[in-house]
Coordinates of all heavy atoms in Angstrom, one line a residue:
M1 N 5.3 -12.3 2.0 CA 4.7 -11.8 0.8 C 4.2 -13.0 0.0 O 4.9 -14.0 -0.1 CB 5.6 -10.9 0.1 CG 5.0 -10.2 -1.1 SD 6.1 -9.5 -2.2 CE 6.3 -7.8 -1.7
S2 N 3.1 -12.9 -0.6 CA 2.6 -14.0 -1.5 C 3.3 -14.0 -2.8 O 4.0 -13.1 -3.2 CB 1.1 -13.8 -1.7 OG 0.8 -12.6 -2.4
E3 N 3.1 -15.2 -3.4 CA 3.8 -15.4 -4.7 C 3.2 -14.6 -5.8 O 1.9 -14.4 -5.8 CB 3.7 -16.9 -5.1 CG 4.7 -17.3 -6.1 CD 4.7 -18.8 -6.2 OE1 4.9 -19.5 -5.2 OE2 4.5 -19.3 -7.3
A4 N 4.0 -14.1 -6.7 CA 3.4 -13.3 -7.8 C 2.6 -14.2 -8.7 O 2.9 -15.3 -9.0 CB 4.5 -12.6 -8.6
Q5 N 1.4 -13.6 -9.2 CA 0.5 -14.4 -10.1 C 0.4 -13.6 -11.3 O 0.2 -12.4 -11.3 CB -0.8 -14.5 -9.4 CG -0.8 -15.4 -8.1 CD -2.2 -15.5 -7.6 OE1 -3.1 -16.1 -8.3 NE2 -2.4 -15.1 -6.4
K6 N 0.3 -14.3 -12.4 CA 0.1 -13.7 -13.7 C -1.3 -13.1 -13.8 O -2.3 -13.7 -13.4 CB 0.2 -14.7 -14.9 CG 0.1 -13.9 -16.2 CD 0.1 -14.9 -17.4 CE -0.3 -14.0 -18.6 NZ -0.4 -14.8 -19.8
I7 N -1.4 -11.8 -14.2 CA -2.8 -11.2 -14.3 C -3.1 -10.8 -15.7 O -4.3 -10.8 -16.1 CB -2.8 -10.0 -13.4 CG1 -4.3 -9.4 -13.3 CG2 -1.8 -8.9 -13.7 CD1 -4.6 -8.6 -12.2
A8 N -2.1 -10.6 -16.6 CA -2.5 -10.2 -18.0 C -1.2 -10.2 -18.8 O -0.1 -10.4 -18.3 CB -3.0 -8.7 -18.0
N9 N -1.4 -10.1 -20.1 CA -0.3 -10.0 -21.0 C 0.0 -8.5 -21.1 O -0.9 -7.6 -21.0 CB -0.6 -10.5 -22.4 CG -0.7 -12.0 -22.3 OD1 0.1 -12.7 -21.7 ND2 -1.8 -12.5 -22.9
L10 N 1.3 -8.1 -21.4 CA 1.6 -6.7 -21.5 C 0.8 -6.1 -22.6 O 0.4 -4.9 -22.5 CB 3.1 -6.7 -21.8 CG 3.9 -5.4 -21.5 CD1 3.5 -4.8 -20.1 CD2 5.4 -5.6 -21.6
S11 N 0.6 -6.8 -23.7 CA -0.2 -6.3 -24.8 C -1.6 -6.0 -24.5 O -2.3 -5.2 -25.2 CB -0.1 -7.2 -26.0 OG -0.7 -8.5 -25.6
D12 N -2.1 -6.5 -23.4 CA -3.5 -6.2 -23.0 C -3.7 -4.7 -22.5 O -4.8 -4.2 -22.5 CB -4.0 -7.1 -21.8 CG -4.1 -8.6 -22.3 OD1 -4.4 -8.8 -23.5 OD2 -3.8 -9.5 -21.4
V13 N -2.6 -4.2 -22.0 CA -2.7 -2.9 -21.3 C -2.0 -1.9 -22.2 O -0.8 -1.6 -22.2 CB -2.0 -2.9 -19.9 CG1 -2.4 -1.7 -19.1 CG2 -2.4 -4.1 -19.1
K14 N -2.7 -1.3 -23.1 CA -2.2 -0.3 -24.1 C -1.7 1.0 -23.5 O -2.2 1.4 -22.4 CB -3.3 0.0 -25.1 CG -4.0 -1.2 -25.7 CD -3.3 -1.8 -26.8 CE -4.1 -3.0 -27.5 NZ -3.3 -4.2 -27.5
P15 N -0.7 1.6 -24.1 CA -0.2 2.9 -23.5 C -1.4 3.9 -23.3 O -2.2 4.1 -24.2 CB 0.7 3.4 -24.6 CG 1.2 2.1 -25.3 CD 0.0 1.2 -25.3
G16 N -1.4 4.5 -22.1 CA -2.4 5.5 -21.8 C -3.8 4.9 -21.6 O -4.7 5.7 -21.5
K17 N -3.9 3.6 -21.4 CA -5.2 2.9 -21.2 C -5.2 2.1 -19.9 O -4.2 1.8 -19.3 CB -5.5 2.0 -22.3 CG -5.5 2.6 -23.7 CD -6.8 3.4 -23.9 CE -6.8 4.0 -25.3 NZ -7.7 5.1 -25.5
M18 N -6.4 1.8 -19.5 CA -6.6 0.9 -18.3 C -7.2 -0.4 -18.8 O -7.7 -0.5 -19.9 CB -7.6 1.6 -17.4 CG -7.2 2.9 -16.8 SD -8.2 3.5 -15.5 CE -9.7 3.9 -16.4
F19 N -7.0 -1.4 -18.0 CA -7.4 -2.8 -18.3 C -7.8 -3.4 -17.0 O -7.1 -3.3 -16.0 CB -6.3 -3.6 -18.9 CG -6.6 -5.0 -19.3 CD1 -7.3 -5.2 -20.5 CD2 -6.2 -6.1 -18.5 CE1 -7.6 -6.5 -20.9 CE2 -6.5 -7.4 -18.9 CZ -7.2 -7.6 -20.1
R20 N -9.0 -4.1 -17.0 CA -9.5 -4.7 -15.8 C -9.3 -6.2 -15.9 O -9.7 -6.8 -16.9 CB -10.9 -4.4 -15.5 CG -11.5 -5.0 -14.2 CD -12.8 -4.5 -13.9 NE -13.8 -4.7 -14.9 CZ -15.0 -4.3 -14.9 NH1 -15.5 -3.6 -13.9 NH2 -15.8 -4.5 -15.9
A21 N -8.8 -6.9 -14.9 CA -8.7 -8.3 -14.9 C -9.0 -8.8 -13.5 O -9.1 -8.1 -12.5 CB -7.2 -8.7 -15.2
T22 N -9.4 -10.1 -13.5 CA -9.8 -10.7 -12.2 C -8.8 -11.8 -11.9 O -8.3 -12.5 -12.7 CB -11.2 -11.3 -12.4 OG1 -12.1 -10.3 -12.8 CG2 -11.7 -11.9 -11.1
I23 N -8.4 -11.8 -10.6 CA -7.5 -12.8 -10.1 C -8.0 -13.2 -8.7 O -8.4 -12.4 -7.9 CB -6.1 -12.2 -10.1 CG1 -5.0 -13.3 -9.9 CG2 -5.9 -11.2 -9.0 CD1 -3.6 -12.8 -10.3
D24 N -8.2 -14.5 -8.5 CA -8.8 -15.1 -7.3 C -10.1 -14.4 -7.0 O -10.4 -14.1 -5.8 CB -7.8 -14.9 -6.1 CG -6.6 -15.9 -6.2 OD1 -6.7 -16.8 -7.1 OD2 -5.7 -15.7 -5.5
G25 N -10.9 -14.1 -8.0 CA -12.2 -13.5 -7.8 C -12.2 -12.0 -7.5 O -13.2 -11.4 -7.2
Q26 N -11.0 -11.4 -7.5 CA -10.9 -10.0 -7.2 C -10.6 -9.2 -8.4 O -9.7 -9.5 -9.2 CB -9.7 -9.9 -6.2 CG -9.6 -8.5 -5.6 CD -8.7 -8.5 -4.4 OE1 -8.2 -9.5 -4.0 NE2 -8.3 -7.3 -4.0
A27 N -11.3 -8.1 -8.6 CA -11.1 -7.3 -9.8 C -10.0 -6.3 -9.5 O -10.0 -5.6 -8.6 CB -12.4 -6.5 -10.2
I28 N -9.0 -6.3 -10.4 CA -7.8 -5.5 -10.3 C -7.8 -4.6 -11.5 O -8.1 -5.0 -12.7 CB -6.5 -6.3 -10.3 CG1 -6.6 -7.4 -9.3 CG2 -5.3 -5.4 -10.2 CD1 -6.4 -7.0 -7.8
L29 N -7.4 -3.3 -11.3 CA -7.4 -2.4 -12.4 C -5.9 -2.1 -12.7 O -5.1 -1.7 -11.9 CB -8.1 -1.1 -12.0 CG -8.2 0.0 -13.1 CD1 -9.0 -0.5 -14.3 CD2 -8.8 1.3 -12.5
L30 N -5.5 -2.3 -14.0 CA -4.2 -2.1 -14.4 C -4.2 -0.8 -15.3 O -5.2 -0.5 -15.9 CB -3.7 -3.2 -15.3 CG -3.6 -4.6 -14.6 CD1 -3.4 -5.7 -15.6 CD2 -2.6 -4.7 -13.5
A31 N -3.1 -0.1 -15.3 CA -2.9 1.0 -16.2 C -1.5 1.1 -16.7 O -0.6 0.7 -16.0 CB -3.3 2.3 -15.5
N32 N -1.4 1.6 -17.9 CA -0.1 1.8 -18.6 C 0.1 3.3 -18.7 O -0.6 4.0 -19.5 CB -0.1 1.1 -20.0 CG 1.2 1.3 -20.7 OD1 1.9 2.2 -20.4 ND2 1.4 0.4 -21.7
I33 N 0.9 3.8 -17.8 CA 1.1 5.3 -17.7 C 2.6 5.6 -18.0 O 3.4 5.1 -17.2 CB 0.7 5.8 -16.3 CG1 -0.8 5.5 -16.1 CG2 0.9 7.3 -16.3 CD1 -1.2 5.6 -14.6
D34 N 2.8 6.2 -19.1 CA 4.2 6.6 -19.5 C 5.1 5.3 -19.5 O 6.2 5.2 -19.0 CB 4.9 7.6 -18.5 CG 4.1 8.9 -18.5 OD1 3.5 9.2 -19.6 OD2 4.2 9.6 -17.5
S35 N 4.5 4.2 -20.1 CA 5.2 2.9 -20.3 C 5.5 2.2 -18.9 O 6.2 1.2 -18.9 CB 6.5 3.1 -21.0 OG 6.3 3.7 -22.3
E36 N 4.8 2.6 -17.9 CA 5.0 1.9 -16.6 C 3.6 1.3 -16.3 O 2.6 2.0 -16.4 CB 5.4 2.9 -15.5 CG 5.9 2.2 -14.3 CD 6.5 3.1 -13.2 OE1 6.7 4.3 -13.6 OE2 6.7 2.7 -12.1
I37 N 3.6 0.1 -15.8 CA 2.3 -0.6 -15.5 C 2.1 -0.5 -14.0 O 3.0 -0.7 -13.1 CB 2.4 -2.1 -15.8 CG1 2.7 -2.3 -17.3 CG2 1.1 -2.8 -15.5 CD1 1.7 -1.8 -18.3
F38 N 0.8 -0.1 -13.6 CA 0.4 0.0 -12.2 C -0.8 -0.9 -12.0 O -1.5 -1.2 -13.0 CB 0.0 1.5 -11.9 CG 1.1 2.5 -12.0 CD1 1.4 3.1 -13.2 CD2 1.9 2.8 -10.9 CE1 2.5 4.0 -13.3 CE2 3.0 3.7 -11.0 CZ 3.3 4.3 -12.2
A39 N -1.0 -1.3 -10.8 CA -2.1 -2.1 -10.4 C -2.8 -1.7 -9.1 O -2.0 -1.5 -8.1 CB -1.7 -3.6 -10.3
I40 N -4.1 -1.5 -9.1 CA -4.8 -1.1 -7.9 C -6.1 -1.9 -7.9 O -6.5 -2.5 -8.9 CB -5.1 0.4 -7.8 CG1 -6.0 0.8 -9.0 CG2 -3.9 1.3 -7.8 CD1 -6.5 2.3 -8.9
D41 N -6.8 -1.9 -6.7 CA -8.1 -2.5 -6.7 C -9.1 -1.7 -7.6 O -9.0 -0.5 -7.6 CB -8.7 -2.5 -5.2 CG -8.3 -3.7 -4.4 OD1 -7.9 -4.7 -5.0 OD2 -8.4 -3.6 -3.2
D42 N -10.0 -2.5 -8.2 CA -10.9 -1.8 -9.2 C -12.0 -1.1 -8.4 O -12.6 -0.2 -9.0 CB -11.4 -2.8 -10.2 CG -12.4 -2.2 -11.1 OD1 -12.0 -1.2 -11.8 OD2 -13.5 -2.7 -11.3
M43 N -12.3 -1.6 -7.2 CA -13.5 -1.0 -6.5 C -13.2 0.2 -5.8 O -12.2 0.3 -5.0 CB -14.0 -2.1 -5.6 CG -15.4 -1.8 -4.9 SD -16.7 -1.5 -6.1 CE -17.0 -3.2 -6.6
C44 N -14.0 1.3 -6.0 CA -13.8 2.5 -5.3 C -14.0 2.2 -3.8 O -14.8 1.4 -3.4 CB -14.8 3.5 -5.8 SG -14.7 5.1 -5.0
T45 N -13.3 3.0 -2.9 CA -13.5 2.8 -1.5 C -14.6 3.6 -0.9 O -15.0 3.4 0.3 CB -12.2 3.2 -0.7 OG1 -11.9 4.6 -1.1 CG2 -11.0 2.3 -1.1
H46 N -15.3 4.4 -1.7 CA -16.4 5.2 -1.2 C -17.7 4.4 -1.3 O -18.4 4.2 -0.3 CB -16.5 6.5 -2.0 CG -17.6 7.4 -1.6 ND1 -18.5 7.9 -2.5 CD2 -18.0 7.8 -0.4 CE1 -19.5 8.6 -1.8 NE2 -19.1 8.5 -0.5
E47 N -18.1 4.0 -2.5 CA -19.2 3.1 -2.7 C -18.9 2.1 -3.7 O -17.8 2.1 -4.2 CB -20.5 4.0 -3.1 CG -21.0 4.8 -1.9 CD -22.3 5.6 -2.3 OE1 -22.8 5.4 -3.4 OE2 -22.7 6.4 -1.5
D48 N -19.9 1.3 -4.1 CA -19.6 0.3 -5.1 C -19.6 0.9 -6.5 O -20.6 1.0 -7.2 CB -20.7 -0.8 -5.0 CG -20.5 -1.7 -3.8 OD1 -19.4 -1.5 -3.1 OD2 -21.4 -2.5 -3.5
A49 N -18.4 1.2 -7.0 CA -18.2 1.7 -8.3 C -16.9 1.1 -8.9 O -15.9 1.1 -8.2 CB -18.2 3.2 -8.4
S50 N -17.0 0.6 -10.1 CA -15.8 0.1 -10.8 C -15.0 1.3 -11.3 O -15.5 2.1 -12.1 CB -16.2 -0.8 -11.9 OG -15.1 -1.0 -12.8
L51 N -13.8 1.4 -10.8 CA -13.0 2.5 -11.3 C -12.6 2.4 -12.8 O -12.3 3.4 -13.5 CB -11.7 2.6 -10.5 CG -11.9 3.0 -9.0 CD1 -10.6 2.9 -8.2 CD2 -12.6 4.4 -8.9
Y52 N -12.7 1.2 -13.3 CA -12.5 0.9 -14.7 C -13.4 1.8 -15.6 O -13.1 2.1 -16.7 CB -12.6 -0.6 -15.0 CG -12.4 -0.9 -16.5 CD1 -11.2 -0.8 -17.1 CD2 -13.5 -1.5 -17.2 CE1 -11.0 -1.1 -18.4 CE2 -13.3 -1.8 -18.5 CZ -12.1 -1.6 -19.1 OH -11.9 -2.0 -20.4
R53 N -14.6 2.0 -15.0 CA -15.6 2.8 -15.8 C -15.3 4.3 -15.7 O -16.0 5.1 -16.3 CB -17.0 2.5 -15.3 CG -17.3 1.1 -15.4 CD -18.8 0.8 -15.4 NE -19.1 -0.6 -15.6 CZ -19.0 -1.2 -16.7 NH1 -18.7 -0.6 -17.8 NH2 -19.3 -2.5 -16.8
G54 N -14.3 4.7 -15.0 CA -13.9 6.1 -14.8 C -12.9 6.5 -15.9 O -12.6 5.7 -16.8
A55 N -12.3 7.6 -15.7 CA -11.4 8.2 -16.7 C -10.0 8.2 -16.2 O -9.8 8.6 -15.0 CB -11.8 9.6 -17.2
L56 N -9.0 7.9 -17.0 CA -7.6 8.0 -16.6 C -7.1 9.4 -16.9 O -7.3 9.9 -18.0 CB -6.8 6.9 -17.4 CG -5.3 6.8 -17.1 CD1 -5.1 6.4 -15.7 CD2 -4.6 5.8 -18.1
K57 N -6.6 10.0 -15.8 CA -6.2 11.4 -15.9 C -4.8 11.5 -15.3 O -4.7 11.5 -14.1 CB -7.1 12.4 -15.3 CG -8.5 12.3 -15.9 CD -9.4 13.4 -15.3 CE -10.7 13.4 -16.2 NZ -11.7 14.4 -15.7
G58 N -3.8 11.6 -16.1 CA -2.4 11.6 -15.6 C -2.1 10.3 -14.9 O -2.4 9.2 -15.4
H59 N -1.7 10.4 -13.6 CA -1.4 9.2 -12.8 C -2.7 8.8 -12.0 O -2.6 7.9 -11.1 CB -0.2 9.4 -11.9 CG 1.1 9.1 -12.6 ND1 1.7 10.1 -13.2 CD2 1.8 8.0 -12.7 CE1 2.9 9.6 -13.8 NE2 2.9 8.3 -13.4
C60 N -3.8 9.4 -12.3 CA -5.0 9.1 -11.5 C -6.1 8.6 -12.3 O -6.2 8.8 -13.5 CB -5.5 10.4 -10.8 SG -4.4 11.1 -9.6
V61 N -7.0 7.9 -11.6 CA -8.3 7.5 -12.2 C -9.4 8.2 -11.5 O -9.4 8.3 -10.3 CB -8.5 5.9 -12.2 CG1 -8.4 5.4 -10.8 CG2 -9.8 5.5 -12.8
E62 N -10.3 8.7 -12.3 CA -11.4 9.5 -11.7 C -12.6 8.5 -11.5 O -13.1 7.9 -12.5 CB -11.8 10.6 -12.7 CG -12.9 11.5 -12.2 CD -13.3 12.6 -13.2 OE1 -13.6 12.2 -14.3 OE2 -13.3 13.7 -12.8
C63 N -13.1 8.4 -10.3 CA -14.3 7.6 -10.1 C -15.5 8.0 -10.9 O -15.8 9.2 -10.9 CB -14.6 7.5 -8.6 SG -16.0 6.5 -8.2
P64 N -16.1 7.1 -11.6 CA -17.3 7.5 -12.4 C -18.5 8.0 -11.6 O -19.3 8.7 -12.2 CB -17.6 6.2 -13.2 CG -17.1 5.1 -12.3 CD -15.9 5.6 -11.6
L65 N -18.5 7.6 -10.3 CA -19.8 7.9 -9.6 C -19.7 9.3 -9.0 O -20.7 10.1 -9.1 CB -20.0 6.9 -8.5 CG -21.4 6.4 -8.2 CD1 -22.1 6.1 -9.5 CD2 -21.4 5.2 -7.3
H66 N -18.7 9.6 -8.2 CA -18.7 10.9 -7.5 C -17.4 11.7 -7.7 O -17.2 12.8 -7.1 CB -18.9 10.7 -6.0 CG -20.1 9.9 -5.6 ND1 -20.0 8.7 -5.1 CD2 -21.4 10.2 -5.8 CE1 -21.3 8.2 -4.9 NE2 -22.1 9.1 -5.4
G67 N -16.5 11.2 -8.6 CA -15.4 12.0 -9.0 C -14.1 12.1 -8.2 O -13.2 12.8 -8.6
S68 N -14.0 11.3 -7.2 CA -12.7 11.3 -6.5 C -11.6 10.7 -7.4 O -11.9 9.9 -8.3 CB -12.8 10.4 -5.2 OG -13.5 11.0 -4.2
H69 N -10.4 11.3 -7.3 CA -9.3 10.8 -8.1 C -8.4 9.9 -7.3 O -7.9 10.4 -6.2 CB -8.5 12.0 -8.7 CG -9.2 12.8 -9.7 ND1 -10.3 13.6 -9.4 CD2 -9.0 12.9 -11.0 CE1 -10.7 14.2 -10.5 NE2 -10.0 13.8 -11.5
F70 N -8.1 8.7 -7.7 CA -7.2 7.9 -7.0 C -5.9 7.8 -7.8 O -5.9 7.5 -9.0 CB -7.8 6.4 -6.9 CG -9.0 6.4 -6.0 CD1 -10.3 6.6 -6.5 CD2 -8.9 6.1 -4.6 CE1 -11.4 6.6 -5.7 CE2 -10.0 6.1 -3.8 CZ -11.2 6.3 -4.3
D71 N -4.8 8.0 -7.0 CA -3.5 8.0 -7.7 C -3.0 6.5 -7.8 O -2.9 5.8 -6.8 CB -2.5 8.8 -6.8 CG -1.2 9.1 -7.5 OD1 -0.6 8.2 -8.1 OD2 -0.8 10.3 -7.5
F72 N -2.6 6.1 -9.0 CA -2.2 4.7 -9.2 C -0.9 4.5 -8.4 O -0.6 3.3 -8.1 CB -1.9 4.5 -10.7 CG -3.2 3.9 -11.4 CD1 -4.1 4.8 -12.0 CD2 -3.4 2.6 -11.4 CE1 -5.2 4.3 -12.7 CE2 -4.6 2.1 -12.0 CZ -5.4 2.9 -12.7
R73 N -0.1 5.5 -8.1 CA 1.2 5.3 -7.5 C 1.0 5.0 -6.0 O 1.8 4.3 -5.4 CB 2.1 6.5 -7.7 CG 2.5 6.7 -9.1 CD 3.1 8.1 -9.4 NE 2.1 9.1 -9.2 CZ 2.2 10.4 -9.5 NH1 3.3 10.8 -10.1 NH2 1.3 11.3 -9.3
T74 N 0.0 5.6 -5.4 CA -0.2 5.5 -3.9 C -1.5 4.9 -3.5 O -1.6 4.4 -2.4 CB -0.1 6.9 -3.3 OG1 -1.2 7.6 -3.8 CG2 1.2 7.6 -3.6
G75 N -2.5 4.9 -4.4 CA -3.8 4.4 -4.1 C -4.6 5.5 -3.4 O -5.8 5.3 -3.2
K76 N -4.0 6.6 -3.1 CA -4.8 7.6 -2.3 C -5.7 8.4 -3.1 O -5.3 8.8 -4.2 CB -3.8 8.5 -1.6 CG -3.0 7.8 -0.5 CD -2.0 8.7 0.2 CE -1.3 8.0 1.3 NZ -0.1 8.7 1.7
P77 N -6.8 8.8 -2.5 CA -7.8 9.7 -3.2 C -7.3 11.1 -3.0 O -6.7 11.4 -2.0 CB -9.1 9.4 -2.5 CG -8.7 9.0 -1.1 CD -7.4 8.3 -1.2
D78 N -7.7 12.0 -3.9 CA -7.3 13.4 -3.8 C -8.2 14.2 -2.9 O -7.9 15.4 -2.6 CB -7.2 14.1 -5.2 CG -8.6 14.2 -5.8 OD1 -9.5 13.5 -5.4 OD2 -8.7 14.9 -6.8
G79 N -9.3 13.6 -2.5 CA -10.2 14.3 -1.6 C -11.6 13.7 -1.6 O -11.7 12.6 -2.1
N80 N -12.5 14.4 -1.1 CA -13.9 13.9 -0.9 C -14.5 13.6 -2.3 O -14.2 14.2 -3.2 CB -14.7 14.8 -0.1 CG -14.2 14.9 1.3 OD1 -13.8 13.9 1.9 ND2 -14.3 16.1 1.9
P81 N -15.5 12.7 -2.2 CA -16.0 12.0 -1.0 C -15.2 10.8 -0.6 O -15.3 10.4 0.6 CB -17.4 11.6 -1.5 CG -17.3 11.3 -2.9 CD -16.3 12.3 -3.4
A82 N -14.4 10.3 -1.4 CA -13.6 9.1 -0.9 C -12.5 9.6 0.0 O -11.8 10.6 -0.3 CB -13.0 8.4 -2.1
T83 N -12.2 8.9 1.1 CA -11.2 9.3 2.0 C -10.2 8.1 2.2 O -9.1 8.4 2.7 CB -11.8 9.6 3.4 OG1 -12.6 8.5 3.9 CG2 -12.6 10.9 3.3
E84 N -10.6 6.9 1.8 CA -9.7 5.8 2.1 C -9.0 5.4 0.8 O -9.6 5.4 -0.3 CB -10.6 4.6 2.5 CG -10.0 3.5 3.2 CD -11.0 2.4 3.6 OE1 -12.1 2.8 4.1 OE2 -10.7 1.3 3.3
A85 N -7.7 5.0 0.9 CA -7.0 4.6 -0.3 C -7.4 3.3 -0.8 O -7.9 2.4 -0.1 CB -5.5 4.6 0.0
V86 N -7.3 3.1 -2.1 CA -7.5 1.7 -2.7 C -6.2 1.0 -2.5 O -5.1 1.6 -2.5 CB -7.9 1.7 -4.2 CG1 -9.3 2.3 -4.4 CG2 -6.9 2.5 -5.0
K87 N -6.2 -0.3 -2.5 CA -5.0 -1.1 -2.4 C -4.2 -1.0 -3.7 O -4.7 -1.1 -4.8 CB -5.4 -2.5 -2.0 CG -4.2 -3.4 -1.7 CD -4.6 -4.7 -1.1 CE -3.3 -5.5 -0.8 NZ -3.6 -6.9 -0.5
T88 N -2.9 -0.9 -3.5 CA -2.0 -0.9 -4.6 C -1.2 -2.3 -4.6 O -1.1 -2.9 -3.6 CB -1.0 0.2 -4.6 OG1 -0.2 0.1 -3.4 CG2 -1.7 1.6 -4.7
Y89 N -0.8 -2.7 -5.8 CA -0.1 -4.0 -5.9 C 1.3 -3.7 -6.6 O 1.3 -2.9 -7.5 CB -0.9 -5.0 -6.7 CG -2.2 -5.3 -6.1 CD1 -3.4 -4.5 -6.4 CD2 -2.4 -6.3 -5.1 CE1 -4.6 -4.8 -5.8 CE2 -3.6 -6.5 -4.5 CZ -4.7 -5.8 -4.8 OH -5.9 -6.0 -4.2
S90 N 2.3 -4.5 -6.1 CA 3.5 -4.4 -6.8 C 3.4 -5.2 -8.1 O 2.8 -6.3 -8.1 CB 4.7 -4.8 -6.0 OG 4.5 -6.1 -5.5
V91 N 4.0 -4.7 -9.1 CA 3.9 -5.2 -10.5 C 5.3 -5.7 -10.9 O 6.3 -5.1 -10.7 CB 3.4 -4.2 -11.5 CG1 3.5 -4.7 -12.9 CG2 2.0 -3.7 -11.1
E92 N 5.3 -6.9 -11.5 CA 6.5 -7.4 -12.1 C 6.2 -7.8 -13.6 O 5.2 -8.4 -13.9 CB 6.8 -8.8 -11.5 CG 8.0 -8.8 -10.5 CD 8.2 -10.2 -10.0 OE1 8.5 -11.1 -10.7 OE2 8.0 -10.3 -8.7
I93 N 7.1 -7.4 -14.4 CA 7.0 -7.8 -15.9 C 8.0 -8.9 -16.1 O 9.2 -8.7 -15.9 CB 7.3 -6.6 -16.8 CG1 6.5 -5.3 -16.4 CG2 7.0 -6.9 -18.2 CD1 5.0 -5.4 -16.5
R94 N 7.5 -10.0 -16.6 CA 8.4 -11.1 -17.0 C 8.1 -11.4 -18.5 O 7.0 -11.8 -18.8 CB 8.2 -12.3 -16.2 CG 8.4 -12.2 -14.7 CD 8.2 -13.5 -14.0 NE 8.0 -13.2 -12.6 CZ 7.4 -14.1 -11.8 NH1 7.0 -15.3 -12.2 NH2 7.3 -13.8 -10.5
D95 N 9.1 -11.2 -19.3 CA 8.9 -11.3 -20.8 C 7.8 -10.3 -21.1 O 7.8 -9.2 -20.8 CB 8.7 -12.7 -21.2 CG 9.9 -13.5 -20.9 OD1 11.1 -13.0 -21.1 OD2 9.8 -14.7 -20.4
D96 N 6.7 -10.9 -21.7 CA 5.6 -10.1 -22.1 C 4.3 -10.3 -21.2 O 3.2 -10.1 -21.6 CB 5.2 -10.3 -23.6 CG 6.3 -9.8 -24.5 OD1 7.0 -8.9 -24.1 OD2 6.4 -10.4 -25.6
E97 N 4.6 -10.7 -20.0 CA 3.5 -11.0 -19.1 C 3.6 -10.1 -17.8 O 4.7 -9.8 -17.3 CB 3.5 -12.5 -18.7 CG 3.3 -13.4 -19.9 CD 3.4 -14.8 -19.6 OE1 4.1 -15.2 -18.6 OE2 2.7 -15.6 -20.3
I98 N 2.4 -9.8 -17.3 CA 2.3 -9.0 -16.1 C 1.9 -9.8 -14.9 O 1.0 -10.6 -15.0 CB 1.3 -7.9 -16.3 CG1 1.6 -7.0 -17.5 CG2 1.1 -7.0 -15.0 CD1 0.5 -6.0 -17.9
F99 N 2.7 -9.7 -13.8 CA 2.5 -10.4 -12.6 C 2.2 -9.4 -11.5 O 2.9 -8.4 -11.5 CB 3.6 -11.3 -12.2 CG 3.9 -12.5 -13.2 CD1 4.4 -12.3 -14.4 CD2 3.5 -13.8 -12.8 CE1 4.7 -13.4 -15.3 CE2 3.7 -14.8 -13.6 CZ 4.3 -14.6 -14.9
I100 N 1.3 -9.8 -10.5 CA 1.2 -9.0 -9.3 C 1.2 -9.9 -8.1 O 0.9 -11.1 -8.2 CB -0.1 -8.1 -9.3 CG1 -1.3 -9.0 -9.3 CG2 -0.1 -7.2 -10.5 CD1 -2.6 -8.2 -8.9
C101 N 1.5 -9.3 -7.0 CA 1.5 -10.0 -5.7 C 0.2 -9.6 -5.0 O 0.0 -8.4 -4.7 CB 2.7 -9.7 -4.8 SG 4.2 -10.5 -5.4
L102 N -0.7 -10.5 -4.7 CA -1.9 -10.1 -4.0 C -1.7 -9.9 -2.5 O -0.8 -10.5 -2.0 CB -3.0 -11.2 -4.2 CG -3.7 -11.3 -5.5 CD1 -4.7 -12.3 -5.5 CD2 -4.3 -9.9 -5.9
Ligands
FES1 S1 -18.2 5.8 -5.5 FE1 -16.3 6.5 -6.0 S2 -16.2 8.5 -5.2 FE2 -18.2 7.8 -4.7

């Protein structure tokens, strides 16, 4: 497993909100859901759409383009048109900083 890298400060990801950050040129979408931080790839697996531009609904983000919902806990879409899961990342909180393993 790769070493954890800092991606954001805890204060960047407000409760009930999403935050997009780039690490090694890759856009990662963070969300603060019920005080837990999740991290997934920002790019939808169906077409080129930034999930950050979508809406956070419970534990899912709704793709802004065609409406698939991706679960932050599993990365899986709830149905068409997307069929492939987005990658999820394990998150570590150290003090007030968020780290993920790529
Ligand atoms: S681009 Fe996301 S569902 Fe089509």
Side-chain angles (χ1 to χ4, degrees):
M1 188 195 264
S2 63
E3 198 171 307
Q5 298 182 59
K6 182 185 172 185
I7 187 162
N9 293 315
L10 203 47
S11 58
D12 292 328
V13 193
K14 311 276 185 236
K17 302 284 184 197
M18 298 189 291
F19 181 79
R20 183 172 55 185
T22 303
I23 196 165
D24 287 350
Q26 189 171 348
I28 308 287
L29 185 61
L30 302 169
N32 181 336
I33 304 165
D34 295 337
S35 301
E36 194 173 348
I37 304 295
F38 296 89
I40 62 173
D41 270 342
D42 180 52
M43 188 62 71
C44 183
T45 55
H46 178 232
E47 285 180 11
D48 286 351
S50 166
L51 295 174
Y52 178 65
R53 302 200 176 284
L56 183 60
K57 296 186 171 178
H59 276 88
C60 295
V61 55
E62 182 182 55
C63 179
L65 216 51
H66 307 112
S68 286
H69 290 70
F70 292 89
D71 194 312
F72 269 93
R73 297 166 291 193
T74 63
K76 292 183 181 162
D78 67 344
N80 291 326
T83 55
E84 202 179 312
V86 290
K87 188 169 180 191
T88 60
Y89 299 92
S90 57
V91 172
E92 252 180 65
I93 310 294
R94 297 183 200 159
D95 298 321
D96 291 332
E97 299 180 328
I98 301 169
F99 292 76
I100 64 166
C101 287
L102 285 183

